Amino acid sequence: MSTQLKIFVAGDVEGNFDQLFSRIKNIQKKSGNFDLLLCVGDFFGTNFMAWENYVKGEKKVPIATLILGPNKFEHTDYYKNNDGGDLCDNVTYLGKKGTYNGSSGLTIAYLSGTESSDGKSGEINFSQQDVSSLILPVATDTKFQGVDILITSQWPKGVDRYGIPVGELDTSNVGSSLVSQLAINLRPRYHFSGMENVFYERQPYRNHKVLAEKERHVTRFIGLAKLSNTQKKKYLYAFSITPLSSIDQSELTKQTQDVTECPFNTEESKPRQEKESEAQFFYDMTPREEKGKKRQRDKDGGPDRKQIKHKEPTGPCWFCLGSPEVEKHLVVSVGTHTYLALAKGGLVADHILILPIGHHQSTTSAPSEVIEEINRYKTALKKFFKQMGKSVVFFERNYKTQHLQIQVVPVPIDCVQELKDAFMQCSEEENVELNEIPKHSDLKQIVPSGTPYFYAEIPSGEKLLHRIKKQFPIQFGRDVLSSVQVLNMPERVDWRNCKISKDKEARLAAQFKEDFKQFDFNLD
């Protein structure tokens, strides 16, 4: 007997029972019977009589239906018991929170309501305590793999991170961090939510850290629209699933080509620690003749970047922009959290560094706003060098350095095909284990903060990573790029052999700054 189940999931029904059940009847006539209907969001509406027809048995529900609890006080009268129970024939209220285990082996975790604003649990709200009660029983269970389905009315916060954008929805103001926390820990294969009147099917995301943890299954998040929407957005989702307990492990953990990192940061779900000491500084690169205009823009309500606070280094640092050690004649662009500078002793004349203004040691320890701006600079630099007929390699060495430095080296387009071979050949010669990580991966999810590593992004989109355990050749990145296969300039491996006069550095920096103007988003 097959254990595969056919399941419907509906978004906010809002009392439109006839519309929903009529649609399901029609589908079942064409495609055969389904096993279950799950409903997220607001199941009830304002028309009490529409529901009474089903309670009295005058109308029939054509499929076993599981629903969540109320999200609005005006709907609480429909629910007679907070612990769950049958509301009419074929409709069951699951309860405030818990796990439903079907006879087939299917496991469905559920959480009703929306996140409480005051930290207290209520009729229509859940709290940290509610979420913890679902997580704690499985937190120490070494045999726990995850659940088949998680249903919540509210979206998890930040679910579109690393994924395709939602588009019509500003996700910065949507969702619950507690639901995100629940998803991290319960590892559902499918997660459904409603309430936002949007259909959004995210690419699958992985539930393990690449190269650091044993491979696990992926999670698929689907947000469903309301039944009553007039834009014909998808409100009903149909799929087949074999319970997790009945699937071969190798089949269960197969990774799709479009899989991304988990969008939720496990650190963000922990209590915030006291902020580290911070220093306020900002290097003003505005020409003297433009400073009056800049002050006026700030006065008129524009972003006054001098108010941004940055971490203070523990000692002298050559790269913190507020430090007297910084050679400011090399700086070519300054953002809100990061800046660009010409590399001292660069491999080529337009070898650039992306650096945080404040003191952060590596990508894995830098906050999200720094990473976001680094990515903006990467995008701008790719466009800039492409216009010049070049491709670009980014690499970072978090080893024997105290300040995050992203090396940006343009290379001829005709050597792009040989780049990966050059990295692999050099890694073999130097006895460096270089692993390719998924293109949609996030370094923070793979490498714990504080761990030494070498990381490179090459023009083909491939990402290469080496976890440094003992010794590592300091000039590895330069060694690869200076090889015969790429730039054919082995004499430039050591930056100290490439130093030029300060005057020439200043001229090169000024020229780069001028050429980069149309791509510099800080000048918009």
Side-chain angles (χ1 to χ4, degrees):
M1 183 178 175
S2 173
T3 55
Q4 191 174 71
L5 303 170
K6 294 169 68 178
I7 296 176
F8 286 118
V9 186
D12 303 65
V13 180
E14 294 186 329
N16 295 292
F17 310 117
D18 292 352
Q19 178 187 344
L20 174 64
F21 297 137
S22 175
R23 175 85 186 277
I24 284 176
K25 282 179 184 177
N26 290 335
I27 294 174
Q28 292 195 126
K29 280 180 184 178
K30 296 177 183 177
S31 307
N33 288 337
F34 277 62
D35 297 282
L36 194 61
L37 165 65
L38 306 174
C39 295
V40 295
D42 292 320
F43 184 70
F44 294 105
T46 56
N47 186 350
F48 188 79
M49 290 308 299
W51 176 242
E52 277 293 288
N53 292 330
Y54 290 91
V55 173
K56 292 176 180 178
E58 294 172 2
K59 292 183 178 180
K60 301 292 184 184
V61 178
I63 186 171
T65 303
L66 303 178
I67 72 170
L68 292 170
N71 306 302
K72 300 174 180 175
F73 281 114
E74 55 263 37
H75 294 162
T76 55
D77 289 343
Y78 291 102
Y79 298 85
K80 302 201 173 16
N81 189 338
N82 281 338
D83 296 327
D86 292 340
L87 300 187
C88 78
D89 187 30
N90 255 356
V91 175
T92 300
Y93 162 46
L94 286 167
K96 188 171 182 62
K97 61 184 185 297
T99 304
Y100 172 90
N101 297 294
S103 57
S104 62
L106 188 75
T107 55
I108 303 171
Y110 56 90
L111 179 66
S112 295
T114 59
E115 183 175 341
S116 170
S117 59
D118 60 5
K120 297 177 182 178
S121 184
E123 286 184 280
I124 63 170
N125 302 119
F126 58 81
S127 65
Q128 176 68 66
Q129 186 176 0
D130 292 316
V131 171
S132 296
S133 70
L134 292 172
I135 294 172
L136 290 176
V138 301
T140 56
D141 184 354
T142 55
K143 295 183 179 179
F144 177 74
Q145 290 183 289
V147 297
D148 289 302
I149 301 171
L150 171 63
I151 54 173
T152 60
S153 286
Q154 201 167 10
W155 282 36
K157 194 165 189 65
V159 71
D160 60 340
R161 187 183 182 198
Y162 311 132
I164 53 176
V166 181
E168 58 190 293
L169 193 64
D170 180 5
T171 54
S172 62
N173 297 318
V174 165
S176 160
S177 57
L178 291 182
V179 173
S180 303
Q181 188 183 134
L182 190 63
I184 290 170
N185 289 277
L186 295 190
R187 301 193 288 273
R189 293 166 64 201
Y190 286 87
H191 181 181
F192 296 92
S193 299
M195 297 187 72
E196 300 302 335
N197 198 25
V198 167
F199 174 72
Y200 175 66
E201 186 168 11
R202 192 198 185 282
Q203 304 111 296
Y205 65 82
R206 60 177 65 88
N207 285 293
H208 64 276
K209 293 181 179 179
V210 176
L211 304 179
E213 294 177 330
K214 186 178 178 182
E215 205 166 59
R216 294 191 179 115
H217 60 266
V218 301
T219 293
R220 291 170 169 82
F221 172 79
I222 296 99
L224 292 163
K226 300 178 180 181
L227 267 73
S228 59
N229 81 84
T230 57
Q231 297 83 27
K232 296 185 178 180
K233 299 174 187 175
K234 190 169 181 177
Y235 65 80
L236 190 64
Y237 191 91
F239 69 110
S240 297
I241 185 171
T242 299
L244 184 149
S245 56
S246 302
I247 303 179
D248 180 77
Q249 190 66 22
S250 61
E251 185 68 24
L252 178 66
T253 56
K254 276 185 179 177
Q255 307 290 296
T256 61
Q257 284 192 337
D258 60 342
V259 68
T260 76
E261 288 303 312
C262 175
F264 316 121
N265 191 332
T266 52
E267 294 300 317
E268 290 174 357
S269 64
K270 297 177 182 178
R272 291 186 178 181
Q273 298 178 346
E274 290 184 16
K275 291 183 179 179
E276 299 178 59
S277 60
E278 296 177 321
Q280 179 176 323
F281 55 83
F282 182 78
Y283 174 57
D284 190 353
M285 290 184 62
T286 310
R288 183 173 299 174
E289 62 272 16
E290 294 184 19
K291 286 191 177 183
K293 296 178 184 178
K294 181 178 187 296
R295 282 195 295 270
Q296 185 62 40
R297 286 199 299 271
D298 294 328
K299 184 179 177 181
D300 292 342
D304 184 358
R305 294 187 294 179
K306 291 187 180 182
Q307 300 304 311
I308 300 291
K309 292 186 176 182
H310 300 285
K311 285 186 180 179
E312 185 177 8
T314 53
C317 179
W318 290 99
F319 299 105
C320 285
L321 197 50
S323 168
E325 281 80 11
V326 169
E327 297 193 50
K328 294 183 171 64
H329 68 286
L330 297 173
V331 176
V332 296
S333 173
V334 179
T336 306
H337 306 285
T338 58
Y339 70 101
L340 297 184
L342 197 71
K344 199 169 186 67
L347 270 168
V348 289
D350 42 8
H351 181 167
I352 293 293
L353 302 179
I354 308 175
L355 306 122
I357 292 172
H359 193 72
H360 302 288
Q361 184 171 334
S362 67
T363 294
T364 57
S365 62
S368 59
E369 61 269 19
V370 171
I371 301 303
E372 286 169 10
E373 196 165 273
I374 285 174
N375 289 333
R376 287 191 71 186
Y377 266 130
K378 283 182 178 179
T379 300
L381 287 163
K382 284 178 185 177
K383 292 177 180 177
F384 170 65
F385 285 120
K386 184 177 181 180
Q387 181 181 265
M388 298 170 63
K390 300 177 182 179
S391 291
V392 62
V393 176
F394 301 98
F395 69 89
E396 176 192 3
R397 169 175 51 84
N398 180 30
Y399 176 71
K400 294 189 176 180
T401 179
Q402 63 169 326
H403 194 104
L404 165 58
Q405 304 167 49
I406 306 289
Q407 307 278 337
V408 184
V409 183
V411 296
I413 284 180
D414 59 10
C415 76
V416 167
Q417 297 300 320
E418 289 77 37
L419 268 169
K420 186 177 179 181
D421 290 340
F423 269 103
M424 291 307 176
Q425 182 179 328
C426 195
S427 67
E428 188 174 339
E429 292 170 357
E430 297 284 359
N431 197 26
V432 170
E433 185 181 355
L434 204 57
N435 294 291
E436 185 178 343
I437 62 176
K439 291 184 180 181
H440 293 288
S441 60
D442 173 25
L443 202 57
K444 281 192 171 188
Q445 297 283 353
I446 298 173
V447 182
S449 180
T451 301
Y453 62 85
F454 173 85
Y455 171 71
E457 296 177 14
I458 58 180
S460 59
E462 290 164 302
K463 299 179 178 182
L464 307 173
L465 173 68
H466 169 66
R467 289 191 178 200
I468 301 171
K469 296 176 181 177
K470 291 183 180 179
Q471 298 299 315
F472 180 75
I474 295 294
Q475 305 295 349
F476 180 75
R478 292 178 67 109
D479 195 3
V480 173
L481 297 181
S482 64
S483 69
V484 174
Q485 288 175 287
V486 186
L487 297 176
N488 192 17
M489 47 179 66
E491 72 281 0
R492 300 186 71 83
V493 171
D494 192 329
W495 70 274
R496 288 167 293 194
N497 297 332
C498 307
K499 288 194 292 185
I500 55 178
S501 70
K502 187 172 181 178
D503 285 345
K504 189 171 182 180
E505 286 177 338
R507 288 197 299 274
L508 286 173
Q511 185 62 55
F512 186 95
K513 184 179 178 181
E514 180 64 29
D515 294 342
F516 186 64
K517 268 185 178 180
Q518 61 176 304
F519 300 92
D520 192 343
F521 51 85
N522 299 294
L523 302 179
D524 293 343

